[in-house]
Amino acid sequence: MAFEQAAEELVDAVVVNDGRLLLVNVQGGWGLPSGVPEEAETPQATAARVVYELTGYLVDGSSLLESEPAADAPPAVVCHLLSEDPSGEAQLTAGQLRWAPFAEAIDIDGGLPAPVRTYLEGHTPV
């Protein structure tokens, strides 16, 4: 993949906290916070930056989820919450954010990418 193509690819942030997944409402549906990497930015750094810009939450971009080589899903990065309260500089309002239990998030309309569903299924509290 050429650098130009990679720079255009979205990165999904999988923000988890206490058995819940952070979802954002954009274009009328719930999904993962996502954004385009800046020049020379790793997927982990992109995820952390995008979450802060969109939601105001400070997170770490700790681990890149493995995906199938032929999958069309964007890279997904698991992020852990570092701040309880979002900053006032978020692009989205509180009504555009939702913390969903893993079991509920797995079944959201529009679906989550397969690597994200697999991760959540493996980490859903019993």
Side-chain angles (χ1 to χ4, degrees):
M1 179 180 327
F3 178 74
E4 295 79 22
Q5 291 171 322
E8 303 262 330
E9 189 171 270
L10 289 176
V11 173
D12 285 336
V14 182
V15 182
V16 296
N17 185 47
D18 196 26
R20 299 173 303 151
L21 176 69
L22 178 63
L23 299 173
V24 296
N25 189 327
V26 288
Q27 300 177 359
W30 293 102
L32 299 171
S34 61
V36 177
E38 293 181 351
E39 187 174 337
E41 190 173 52
T42 66
Q44 293 88 336
T46 299
R49 175 184 54 79
V50 166
V51 169
Y52 185 77
E53 290 173 354
L54 291 176
T55 71
Y57 284 110
L58 187 62
V59 300
D60 70 348
S62 59
S63 32
L64 186 62
L65 292 178
E66 294 292 322
S67 64
E68 308 261 333
D72 285 341
V77 177
V78 174
C79 302
H80 295 93
L81 196 62
L82 300 176
S83 62
E84 289 288 324
D85 299 311
S87 76
E89 301 176 22
Q91 293 175 9
L92 300 176
T93 65
Q96 293 173 294
L97 307 177
R98 176 176 157 214
W99 287 98
F102 288 175
E104 181 183 322
I106 290 167
D107 295 326
I108 65 168
D109 290 338
L112 295 173
V116 175
R117 279 194 321 273
T118 301
Y119 174 82
L120 295 178
E121 288 168 351
H123 291 83
T124 300
V126 180

